[in-house]
Amino acid sequence: MQLLSDTKFDFINKHRTGFLFSAVLIAIGITFLIVNGGPNFGIDFRGGVKIEAKFNRAVTEAELETMLTELNYEDVKIQLEPNENKAFISMGHRPEFQEQFISMPILADPGDATATSLQVSSTAEKVHLLTAGDTVELVDGNEQRRNEISGVKHIAEASAIQLTFVNEFGIDLTENATIQTQASVGSILTEALLAGGDGWHAESEGVNVTEVGPSVGRDLKWSALWSVLSSIAILLVYISWRFEFRFAIGAIAALVHDVLITLGIFAILAKEINLPTVAAFLTIIGYSLNDTIVVFDRIRENGQSLKGVEYIEVLNRSINQSLSRTVITSLTTLFVVLVIFTLSSPGEEINTFALALIVGVLIGTYSSVFIASPILHIWQQREQKAKA
């Protein structure tokens, strides 16, 4: 199938216009990155909680904000999908979120100093977060007694909240001792959403929680950065071996160009960068490289068969010969990702993934023609001047 045939576009002599256009896009993107204080990293990289919840009816942002305020969670991002009764709730990491402790006073004295179990009131606030099988910590207001308490405590019966101690203890517990258990922000929010409010509540099977600690986020951030840089370094070595070093420089320049522009557009649109976005960036690198390699292969073939022809003519002829294949591949790929982007909800990660691919396909096709190939022309000109 030939969409474009016998074209004779002079791409190489228009490379200055292409370079200027790319420089403007990159400059705008970098400006937005500086103004925004860097990329808009999502919870995968900065830590936090993200919840996707489906409700029995459409909820309003005000209803969710009221519930979150009562839980002392403010500065939370809420995105609604009214047609599907969905909401996306996300909040970044804050130090006070790391250890959410729920405490209950001990209202019963075990009496026997060798007792191994303790009955506790089940009317304490948020006691519904404790279920059979949970482990808790026994905290005493008296420092001396607190230091003597040892062993893991285990909830044997959820209804009566009976604690079973691993070791026997000979301590006289008084009313100032408390039970303390650690609960994640995700579990607290899930319970609150399931409880709901005036006529609304989350469906039991419709709550999906993603919770990432700050240290894990930092590790993921560095892993993502190294995955992109290492892939570019490996490609530099491979293309140098497969073609020539100048071809590798042209290809890598196009790849860096594509990633920078995509990153800049994400900054302009204030889109979050999470793990799926990094996967999209790596996909963009692969797609753009494949397109560039096809053009480079034709350039190398024509360079051998068209002896005596000016190199700029070899480049233009090679690009035009590959143009039909490039346009068809780009259009078919673009059609698929446009469908995914249109049918997915803005708050879903697949939507952001599709957006990155849309930008990557367009910019990757452009860079193969207006960035990678002109660099070969510039390299050739410098070699001729050096010889002269």
Side-chain angles (χ1 to χ4, degrees), residues 204-344:
S204 57
E205 301 296 327
V207 181
N208 184 23
V209 181
T210 302
E211 198 164 1
V212 180
S215 59
V216 175
R218 284 192 297 270
D219 292 341
L220 289 175
K221 187 187 299 183
W222 282 108
S223 297
L225 178 61
W226 282 115
S227 65
V228 174
L229 294 179
S230 60
S231 63
I232 291 177
I234 292 171
L235 290 173
L236 178 64
V237 175
Y238 168 74
I239 300 172
S240 299
W241 169 75
R242 181 74 171 77
F243 295 91
E244 299 175 26
F245 182 67
R246 59 177 176 171
F247 284 83
I249 294 299
I252 297 304
L255 297 183
V256 174
H257 163 275
D258 298 344
V259 172
L260 284 177
I261 289 183
T262 307
L263 188 63
I265 291 177
F266 265 61
I268 294 171
L269 299 177
K271 291 290 185 179
E272 286 189 349
I273 297 177
N274 285 312
L275 287 176
T277 316
V278 176
F281 283 178
L282 293 174
T283 305
I284 291 169
I285 289 175
Y287 178 88
S288 177
L289 179 66
N290 178 68
D291 202 34
T292 302
I293 290 297
V294 170
V295 176
F296 279 2
D297 203 43
R298 186 56 60 91
I299 291 173
R300 184 174 61 176
E301 289 177 2
N302 287 336
Q304 295 172 351
S305 61
L306 300 176
K307 296 292 185 180
V309 178
E310 289 188 15
Y311 195 62
I312 188 172
E313 175 62 25
V314 172
L315 295 175
N316 275 322
R317 188 176 300 186
S318 300
I319 296 172
N320 279 284
Q321 289 173 350
S322 307
L323 192 59
S324 177
R325 180 263 177 202
T326 298
V327 171
I328 291 173
T329 303
S330 300
L331 287 178
T332 52
T333 307
L334 191 62
F335 174 76
V336 174
V337 293
L338 277 172
V339 170
I340 296 173
F341 179 77
T342 303
L343 296 181
S344 58

Side-chain angles (χ1 to χ4, degrees), residues 158-171:
S159 58
I161 313 297
Q162 180 169 329
L163 304 183
T164 302
F165 296 80
V166 174
N167 303 317
E168 292 185 358
F169 56 90
I171 305 169

Side-chain angles (χ1 to χ4, degrees), residues 364-378:
T365 303
Y366 159 83
S367 66
S368 299
V369 176
F370 288 101
I371 301 297
S373 300
I375 287 178
L376 299 181
H377 170 61
I378 295 171

Side-chain angles (χ1 to χ4, degrees), residues 114-131:
T114 61
T116 58
S117 65
L118 178 65
Q119 199 79 13
V120 181
S121 169
S122 60
T123 61
E125 185 181 1
K126 297 182 181 178
V127 73
H128 60 280
L129 292 175
L130 295 174
T131 58

